[in-house]
Amino acid sequence: MRKHIVAGNWKMNNGLIQTETLIVELKKQEKTSDAEVMIAPTFTNLWHAFQSAKQSGIEVIAQNMHFAENGAYTGEISAGMLKSIGIQTVILGHSERRAYFNETDESLAKKVDAALANGMRVIFCFGEELSDRKSGNEEIIVESQLKNALFHLSTDAFKHIVLAYEPVWAIGTGETATPDQAQTMHAFIRKTIAEKYGNDVADSISILYGGSVKPSNAKEIFSKPDVDGGLIGGASLKAEDFFAIVNAF
Ligand code: 13P
């Protein structure tokens, strides 16, 4: 069976004190689902969050990393640095990174390689913009993002990828893809993977949905057969809301 995963992407929110306060609150929540739970605080708070969340069953993960191992890349963080403080999983390719920091499928392919070479698990984000959907090109865009950034991977390497389909028009807008829109795209993504890596691999890959997931809509979205979890932005900043989503499975 595929893993269910609910990951909170905190984005550029929460200083040290707020990070600690939120983790304390998260640890008080009761988990009644089988979903793996992850949180992605900012770089400056990763070490503290990692220590604070130890033995809580909540995995602390990173929001981004550079593809180089070290060197003259002022302001950047490498996979080896994340590993050195115990971080095992990294989010790559978030649409905000693509839009504001010029990340491309080509640079993301290098980041994916660097993460996997360091034995990390990758949550790879991708998804179409509103104009793509309006013009009926959402599947073409999604397929090209997958192929360009990931399909150079061997079958073994690909198994370390978790996918997060995040339609850009649904992120932080309050506008969610309908459960049927999410299911249709997730099924298309799985079919695309099957064509490249075979049915067994496609059936084993967790595909998360991201974009305005809330306690009020999580159950319906997660009830779809090809939706294996969620990548949660705004609602992950409140412990009760986040765990209401975790427990929606
Ligand atoms: P929201 O849940 O705030 O729409 O953000 C989704 C997201 O970007 C998660 O990575």
Side-chain angles (χ1 to χ4, degrees), residues 7-11 91 94-96 125 164 166-168 170-175 209-214 230-237 245:
N9 176 10
W10 290 8
K11 308 191 180 185
I91 298 171
H94 194 280
S95 65
E96 288 148 18
C125 305
E166 298 204 303
V168 177
I171 295 177
T173 57
E175 187 175 345
Y209 169 79
S212 299
V213 179
K214 300 181 276 274
L231 186 55
I232 319 301
S236 73
L237 298 171
I245 295 170

Side-chain angles (χ1 to χ4, degrees), residues 6 12 23 59 68 74 87 94 98 194 196 202 216:
V6 177
M12 198 172 76
I23 291 175
E59 184 184 349
T74 302
I87 305 297
H94 194 280
R98 294 176 191 255
K196 167 78 177 165
S216 57

Side-chain angles (χ1 to χ4, degrees), residues 12 23 26 28-29 31 37 39 45 52 68 70 75 90 122 135 151 158 168-169 179 193 237 244 246:
M12 198 172 76
I23 291 175
L26 289 169
K28 287 185 199 156
Q29 305 299 313
K31 180 166 164 258
V37 182
I39 54 170
N45 297 310
S52 187
N70 47 49
V90 62
V122 171
S135 57
F151 277 13
F158 194 79
V168 177
W169 48 272
I193 298 168
L237 298 171
V246 169

